[in-house]
Every structure is written in structure tokens, then in C-alpha cells.
Amino acid sequence: MVLPTLPTHPVADPAAVVQGEHYRITVLTDGLLRIEHSPDGVFEDSASTFALHRRQPVPEFRVVDQGTHLEVVTRRLRLTYDKGPFTTSGLSVAVLGAITTWHSVWRYGQDDDGRNLGGTARTLDEADGAVPLEPGVAGRHGYAVVDDSASLLLTEDGWVAPRDDGRTDLYVFAYGHDHAEAVRALYAVSGRQPVLPRWALGNWWSRYHRYTADEYVALLDRFRDAGVPFSVAVLDMDWHVTDVDPAIGSGWTGYSWDRDLFPDPAAFLAEVHARGLRVTLNVHPADGIGPHEEVYGAMCAALGLDASAGDPVAFDVTDEAFLTAYLEVLHRGLEDEGVDFWWIDWQQGPHSRIAGIDPLWMLNHFHFLDNARGGRRPLTFSRYAGPGSHRYPVGFSGDAVVSWASLAFQPHFTAAAANIGYGWWSHDIGGHMFGAKDDELATRWVQLGTFSPVLRLHSSNNPFLTKEPWSFGPEHAAVQTEFLRLRHRLVPYLHTMNHRAARDGVPLVTPMYHRWSRDAEAYDVPGQFLFGSELLVAPVTSPRDRESATASVRTWLPDGVWVDVLTGLAYDGGREVVMHRDLASVPVLAPAGAVVPLDAAAVPGDDPVEPAALEVLVVVGADGAFTMVEDDGTGDGLDEERVARTPLVWDQAAGVLTVGPVAGADRFLPATRTWTATFVSVADGVAPVATVEGAGVDPVVARTAEGHLRVTVGDVPVGAVLRVGLGATPRLRPNDVATRLHRLLDAAQVGYELKRRVLEVLTADRPLHVRLSHLAALGAPATLRAAVEEVVLARAS
């Protein structure tokens, strides 16, 4: 086997290099420097696990040699260096531009003192709330550093080598508050995020449980009958033999199907595939290969070992021959039976037989590249192994404790990972272990999962810790089912963001300060995030209050008008708002001009292929545009001959949504499609018209319970242009305050007379300040008062 390799361009353009006998400074971009010190005068030009592409277009910079010290200046930074061994006083980088205080100067060896905005962590195993985050490339004071001094080197033949000790290799990011650009610089040097397979964006089912083949297939059929879609079937470790002699292993590691549970593995995998799901199997490789394994003899033969001795084959990722056999012998036959990718459940730490070689990184790297053979779009599923891990999605965040504290931390954990470019975390939705049965907690976690990079239900092997929606109370089962369906409906939007992540260097989930970096409020809502280009999500991570029957979440809305696409409630932005939601909803807000494509099916199928019916959400009030991206599912997703782009353009002045024409490949798309334009909370009085290729058609028009206007046109040829018009400059409808107040008060657990008085006071034809002061005198519980005030004050008109 020839080991697969990544394309690399590790040697920088000489024109970008400033070098002395013991130092080398490389200007990679106008905001990113590589700064090296070498006591022996030898510098490293091999690719590392972090840096693959140091050969970048040379930015404008100037060098000023003052004799005693050196200055390197770009439009973003000024490096000052005394040409000696690196010290705090002798090496600094000042961030130029709007950030010019002493806070904006990085000095070698100086404590970060909390300035870094955080990246991510290797795992959430046993976490019950927050865990410390490793640093990212975004800093509150404008700078951040990646220390690459100890990372592995990638050799030209595809293998790895540890570094020589004693050399310092730093990457200093000095992008000021342009955090998103710092992340793009990370991708430029470290490699882009790959395009995930479309099916990876649907729901994943996983449970640590001893399923039989018949039980698993029956469960998938029950999900189908209940209208709960899944696109990935995960089998935890009990797929393989676990009852082994302790003398030869622990049972955690295994490569032989448990024939008592799965008598015909190929037939079982075929049944799962026939239902539209892909399959991944859990592997814990650390214990090696025992003599009980079906492939033991073949593994010994591949490595030249004596199988008759019966000695376990030790796991050793530092041995190229072993790793080759590991992929070709242990995994290839299982893949031929129908396994699509692997869940690498490495729990044994970062050490190996050779110092500096992390087994987790090795497994992530080589499994991912191996999964790409034959032109497939690769995928692996494993823990984070340091900077550069974004190249090997999807991330498995580990076994978090079932608790509100764990739920509350995960939005921040997911968003902050964008600061180190790690865009595809998959959490154990609902938590993995311990904790207590809490239907509301489970439901809120599913809602977070719907707006997470990857939604995967999972739990420990406790027989009471189950995640099927029907294992919860009826109210919770209904809400969970609705959000699991919504996840599959979101796939057209998610897959476009999947392509955006790879092409434009913007992760699906990003912190608010990536877009509003100069607003202090953006840094004060760590649990709120941007979900793609069009949506802002503020997950609910605390239980409902009894009196108001709602849960609250503190939210910051940037300037402009924002509409909750789930409830239709519109808000004036430019402020902080405590939002209240019943169990059925979480704040998912879109600004005026937002355009969001969805699968139009109320109950989407398991395999989220390109849908024949699409719904486009439009928030009127400003121009908007969105190009929906689809592909044929092969290759790396970047080949233009395999990609279709459908423009969706909203012209506010004309009041017209234009769909199409499709650009690029369309051979894999349905010949015709049904399009539904849903105008979110648009005002009454509009008269929808529709044309296809300029000819009038009769649309189906309806209003939803949330106040949205739906205009549906069927049988539109895939290459045609569809236009749906509402008339010039349509506006949002005023919030129906009275109806919303009645609904909220009806659910509230307070006295009937209090409900009546609150409704009368707040809907009276009196000035707002009079109504609110009267409300304050009614003695309503504080939480209920806050909830009704939110509705009244959401928007000025």
C-alpha cells in the first residue's frame, strides 16, 4: 500500500522571508507571521500537522533594520525584534489600525491573561458543564499565537516524523478585531475544511446498546413509521465480540462481528442501506488484535508474525507497516461488507512509542485519507487532536454528563471552535451518562442539536437512558419529532453552508463577534451564535418557569429588524432582549432580506437527497440573495462540473423573488420542482403573482398560523426562471400583540383574574408607558411580567 497524502506547499516564497543566522521571519499574510528561532541555524521546511501551505501570495511589507533591532511592517502589524534569542523584551508584534493601546501588543513569553477568545478542547468526556478551551486564532486584544514547535512533520512519502528539540516555531495572528479573517488565514496555511457528504447533515441515530440485527432494523422501521428521519446509523462497540479472555484483551477493541447479534453482517448492512442510511461502526483500537479475531491470521501474515504463537498484535501507529495493515486488513473487509466510515473512539491519551506522535492525530489523518479512496467523499468521526484537526471531520465531542450545565455550555463550546477553524462538532445530543431523567432537558437538547453542525442522538448503556422521542412524555415527543424533521428540512440550507465552509472559510456555526467584532455586546452572549449566513440562534438552556410556562434566554440583536422564523414575532434590533419561549420553540431569528431554502416536505425522508419540492423563507424589508448549492455527491465537492447553483434573489423595491436559472451541472437534479415561497410575517394586502419563464401561472396561496404567506408553484423545469411577486416594497405585518398575549397568558400557571387583568391592561388603548406602569402594579410574578413585556416591546410598530 502507498500511504495516501495531502497536497502540501510547505516552503514559503523566498520573497516573504526575512532571515538571520538564528532567526527566520516569514510574512505569510498581512496579518500572519511565522517566527522561528534555531540555535543551530537550521530551519524546518517540511509540512507540519498544522501548517501545510506556507507558500502564500507575498503581501506588501517593509523591513526596517535599525542595527540593534529589526522591524517588519504590514498594514496590519509591526514586528519589533532584537535579533537575539526570543525574550519578552526583545520580540513583540503590535496590532495596527483601530486597536492601538498597549493591550494590542503581543510579547513573546508574556501570559495571555485571558485575552484569547478560546478555540476548542480534545473532549467533553465526563464534563458536567464548562471545560477549559485550548486557544484559537482570535484574540480580544487583536492577536493570538499558535505554537507549532512540537507538532509532527509530514514527510513527502506520506509518513510522519517528530521534530528536533530546541527550535521555536510560532505563528502570530495579528488581525485586530477581524476575527473571521484570522480564521481564513488559518485555513490558508493549514488547509481548508472539506465538503461533507450531504447525508452527514441529517440526523444520526446512536446508542450504546447490544442491538441484534433484527432489533436495529425494526427500530429504523419504527422511526420511519413515526415520521422521524435519520440519515446515519451508528453502531457502538457491541457490534463486535466483547466477551474475550482478559489475557488477550479487554473486549473494548474488536474487529469481528458478534455473530450471535449479527449472524449475517452484509445482509444487515444492506437492509440499513436500503432504508437510505449510511453506517459507521465504533472502534477502540488501543488493545491491538487478539488471536480470537477473524482477521488475526491475515494480520500476522501481513506483518510477518507467527500466528501459531497466539500473541496479540500490538497497536502501534508509529510503525508504517502496522498502520498499512491496520487499514488494509482490519478495516477493508468490513468496508467491503458495507461499512461507510469509522467512529474512532480513541481514549488512551496522546502518547505513543515515539515521543511527539499522537495516536489520535495519526488515526484521524490516515482514516480520513483512506476513506477518500475510489473518489469517495471522505468522512471520519473522532475526537479533536489539536490545530489542523478541522481537515478531518466529523468531531466526536465525547461522553458529557446529562445535565443542564452540560447543555448550557455546548452552544459556547461549538461556536468558539470556529476560532480554531473546527466547524463540524457532533455532540451526544441529550447527554451521554449519569444525570437524571428530565424530559424538558432532553427536548431542549434536541432543539440545540437541530441548530448544531451535526445532530447525533446518543447515550450510554444504561437501559433507562434512551433517546427515542416516544420514550418521553407526549408533549416532549411531539416537539422532538418536529425538530428532528426540521433538521432534515434544513439540509438544502446546511449543504450550501457546507460548501461555503470549504470554499470561503466560514464555519457553519460562528460566534456573534465574527460578524459584529466591534460591538462589545457580541462578546457577552457566548451561548448565542450565527447558524450560517442567514440565521441567528439563541438556544434555550434552562428549564421553564412555572408561572409563565416559558424558559428565558438573554439575547443580543444587532441593529435592524429581526424576525423569529419559528414564531413570526418581529423585533427591533440594536439592543439586548430577554426572550421567552414555550417548550415548542427557541429563538431562531433572521434579519430583513434573509433568504433560507428548505426541503418542503413536512416529513422528509431518511436519505436527504436533492428534494423535488423546496420551500424558500423570505423576510421582507431589505434586498436579499442566497445561492443554493447542490452537488452530485462524488469527489471533493469542489469540481465545478459536479456542482449546481440556484440563485434565489429578493428585490425589496419590486417585491419580487426570482428563483433560477440553475448554473452549472443539473443532471442529478429533478427534472421539475415545486417551489413554495414563504414570506415570513409579511403584511396583509399583498396580491401574489407568479410567472415561469415570463408566462403567468396560478399559484396556490395560503396563510399559516404564524402569519406567514405561502405561495406555491408546481412543475417548474429545473432550468427555468420562476418569479413570485407581492407588489412594490412589501412590509412586515405588525405583531399581533393581543393574540400573542392571550396565548401566553392562557398557558401561564397563575390566577385567572390576574390573567384577565394583565390582558386588559396591556391591550387597552392607552399610551405605552401608562400600560407598563399599570402592569407593574398588578403584582404579576416577575417572570410572567417579563414575558408579556417582551411581546409588547418587541417592535415599535
Side-chain angles (χ1 to χ4, degrees):
M1 174 182 178
V2 177
L3 288 171
T5 61
L6 284 172
T8 63
H9 306 88
V11 181
D13 190 316
V17 176
V18 180
Q19 187 167 346
E21 183 179 357
H22 296 292
Y23 68 84
R24 184 168 68 170
I25 300 163
T26 307
V27 186
L28 293 166
T29 72
D30 59 12
L32 175 57
L33 301 177
R34 183 190 190 197
I35 308 174
E36 300 169 88
H37 188 271
S38 172
D40 61 6
V42 177
F43 298 95
E44 187 56 68
D45 281 329
S46 296
S48 72
T49 55
F50 169 70
L52 304 183
H53 307 295
R54 302 189 192 100
R55 191 171 190 87
Q56 298 290 325
V58 181
E60 287 189 16
F61 69 96
R62 56 192 175 90
V63 180
V64 182
D65 193 335
Q66 302 284 13
T68 59
H69 65 278
L70 189 72
E71 292 185 352
V72 177
V73 185
T74 76
R75 73 181 183 94
R76 291 187 186 268
L77 59 84
R78 174 182 283 106
L79 173 141
T80 304
Y81 173 46
D82 66 5
K83 305 180 185 178
F86 292 171
T87 64
T88 305
S89 58
L91 175 61
S92 64
V93 176
V95 181
L96 304 182
I99 308 175
T100 56
T101 70
W102 65 270
H103 289 298
S104 62
V105 179
W106 169 81
R107 295 184 180 279
Y108 175 80
Q110 181 174 293
D111 289 341
D112 185 66
D113 194 27
R115 296 182 179 99
N116 194 280
L117 288 165
T120 195
R122 190 175 178 105
T123 182
L124 291 179
D125 281 339
E126 300 186 7
D128 188 2
V131 301
L133 300 180
E134 298 175 21
V137 301
R140 191 68 175 90
H141 295 313
Y143 61 80
V145 179
V146 172
D147 188 344
D148 202 36
S149 305
S151 66
L152 283 177
L153 301 176
L154 306 184
T155 58
E156 292 183 358
D157 64 357
W159 195 235
V160 298
R163 285 183 182 250
D164 292 331
D165 292 333
R167 297 174 189 158
T168 302
D169 190 358
L170 306 176
Y171 290 78
V172 179
F173 292 76
Y175 277 89
H177 283 163
D178 197 350
H179 308 308
E181 195 61 32
V183 174
R184 279 189 280 271
L186 164 71
Y187 289 138
V189 172
S190 192
R192 64 174 179 82
Q193 293 185 96
V195 178
L196 269 60
R198 183 185 181 100
W199 45 261
L201 302 172
N203 299 318
W204 296 26
W205 173 257
S206 180
R207 186 184 175 196
Y208 183 11
H209 180 71
R210 284 181 61 81
Y211 286 109
T212 67
D214 290 343
E215 286 172 341
Y216 204 101
V217 170
L219 177 64
L220 295 181
D221 289 344
R222 185 172 179 186
F223 280 135
R224 180 198 60 208
D225 295 342
V228 180
F230 286 95
S231 63
V232 175
V234 184
L235 274 75
D236 210 318
M237 59 177 288
D238 284 306
W239 69 270
H240 64 73
V241 174
T242 59
D243 185 12
V244 300
D245 184 343
I248 59 174
S250 66
W252 283 88
T253 298
Y255 303 94
S256 304
W257 286 95
D258 187 328
R259 301 288 171 162
D260 291 335
L261 302 177
F262 300 93
D264 188 343
F268 164 72
L269 294 171
E271 288 287 347
V272 177
H273 287 148
R275 285 158 175 78
L277 288 83
R278 273 67 173 187
V279 180
T280 183
L281 303 184
N282 175 281
V283 289
H284 292 83
D287 286 348
I289 305 92
H292 66 291
E293 300 283 7
E294 295 174 3
V295 292
Y296 175 74
M299 194 70 178
C300 289
L303 296 174
L305 301 175
D306 180 7
S308 65
D311 296 326
V313 179
F315 174 82
D316 184 4
V317 292
T318 68
D319 182 346
E320 186 173 348
F322 173 84
L323 190 57
T324 299
Y326 169 84
L327 294 171
E328 288 192 339
V329 177
L330 294 183
H331 295 85
R332 195 71 76 242
L334 294 164
E335 291 164 352
D336 290 343
E337 288 180 329
V339 177
D340 296 289
F341 65 105
W342 294 94
W343 173 9
I344 304 152
D345 203 349
W346 177 261
Q347 297 175 318
Q348 286 71 23
H351 305 294
S352 66
R353 188 170 55 84
I354 297 178
I357 295 184
D358 181 349
L360 176 61
W361 186 89
M362 295 286 285
L363 291 168
N364 292 354
H365 176 78
F366 286 105
H367 263 291
F368 185 83
L369 296 183
D370 185 64
N371 195 242
R373 71 187 185 281
R376 293 184 298 180
R377 188 164 302 168
L379 194 71
T380 195
F381 180 39
S382 184
R383 288 173 173 80
Y384 174 78
S389 292
H390 62 269
R391 299 188 300 263
Y392 316 114
V394 164
F396 165 50
S397 67
D399 301 341
V401 171
V402 177
S403 70
W404 285 99
S406 291
L407 172 62
F409 178 61
Q410 285 190 2
H412 170 56
F413 180 81
T414 308
N419 293 333
I420 197 64
Y422 200 70
W424 294 108
W425 268 126
S426 170
H427 305 304
D428 285 12
I429 295 302
H432 179 77
M433 59 189 179
F434 307 139
K437 173 86 168 178
D438 187 329
D439 289 11
E440 184 178 2
L441 172 60
T443 301
R444 293 302 190 190
W445 222 318
V446 169
Q447 291 170 333
L448 172 62
T450 300
F451 298 100
S452 293
V454 173
L455 191 164
R456 176 180 50 86
L457 299 175
H458 185 63
S459 56
S460 75
N461 60 351
N462 186 316
F464 297 101
L465 224 170
T466 58
K467 299 294 175 65
E468 298 90 342
W470 52 79
S471 67
F472 301 93
E475 176 191 22
H476 300 274
V479 174
Q480 290 183 30
T481 297
E482 192 61 31
F483 275 84
L484 291 168
R485 292 172 180 171
L486 176 58
R487 176 67 186 200
H488 273 234
R489 295 194 64 218
L490 280 162
V491 168
Y493 177 71
L494 293 170
H495 194 47
T496 300
M497 295 300 103
N498 181 18
H499 276 262
R500 182 185 73 149
R503 291 177 179 275
D504 301 333
V506 184
L508 169 65
V509 172
T510 56
M512 295 293 290
Y513 51 76
H514 273 214
R515 191 176 300 176
W516 290 279
S517 62
R518 297 189 180 277
D519 292 278
E521 298 90 341
Y523 298 86
D524 292 336
V525 283
Q528 177 181 321
F529 53 82
L530 294 168
F531 190 67
S533 60
E534 310 297 295
L535 299 175
L536 180 162
V537 180
V540 174
T541 59
S542 60
R544 285 178 290 182
D545 166 76
R546 183 183 182 281
E547 286 85 357
S548 71
T550 66
S552 63
V553 54
R554 178 172 164 268
T555 308
W556 173 64
L557 295 180
D559 289 335
V561 175
W562 296 81
V563 182
D564 188 325
V565 298
L566 299 185
T567 67
L569 187 62
Y571 296 83
D572 291 323
R575 59 179 173 141
E576 295 178 47
V577 184
V578 177
M579 296 185 179
H580 302 77
R581 294 294 184 271
D582 63 16
L583 185 72
S585 188
V586 293
V588 180
L589 298 122
V595 179
V596 182
L598 305 171
D599 187 326
V603 182
D606 289 324
D607 190 1
V609 296
E610 295 72 22
L614 285 147
E615 179 179 7
V616 182
L617 303 183
V618 178
V619 181
V620 305
D623 290 342
F626 187 95
T627 300
M628 185 176 68
V629 181
E630 301 168 283
D631 64 66
D632 69 0
T634 63
D636 63 6
L638 300 178
D639 184 349
E640 288 300 312
E641 294 184 357
R642 299 175 175 179
V643 175
R645 289 183 168 80
T646 304
L648 310 170
V649 179
W650 169 248
D651 183 333
Q652 171 64 17
V656 174
L657 172 69
T658 302
V659 177
V662 174
D666 63 7
R667 61 188 178 278
F668 52 86
L669 300 179
T672 63
R673 278 177 153 164
T674 295
W675 290 91
T676 297
T678 297
F679 299 96
V680 178
S681 295
V682 72
D684 296 328
V686 296
V689 296
T691 64
V692 176
E693 294 292 273
V697 295
D698 293 326
V700 176
V701 180
R703 277 276 185 185
T704 70
E706 298 80 17
H708 308 333
L709 181 68
R710 307 185 71 203
V711 183
T712 301
V713 179
D715 298 323
V716 179
V718 70
V721 175
L722 165 68
R723 289 187 172 88
V724 178
L726 300 181
T729 60
R731 297 185 301 170
L732 292 171
R733 69 191 324 192
N735 289 328
D736 187 348
V737 172
T739 298
R740 292 181 182 277
L741 286 175
H742 188 280
R743 186 183 307 143
L744 195 160
L745 289 165
D746 188 44
Q749 303 294 292
V750 298
Y752 292 113
E753 282 304 303
L754 177 60
K755 294 184 184 191
R756 181 184 60 80
R757 293 194 67 194
V758 170
L759 183 61
E760 287 178 351
V761 166
L762 290 180
T763 57
D765 185 15
R766 305 180 73 188
L768 180 61
H769 72 281
V770 174
R771 285 181 281 154
L772 291 180
S773 64
H774 195 166
L775 172 66
L778 293 180
T783 53
L784 178 60
R785 178 180 164 187
V788 296
E789 285 179 344
E790 178 200 344
V791 174
V792 173
L793 299 173
R795 199 159 178 234
S797 60

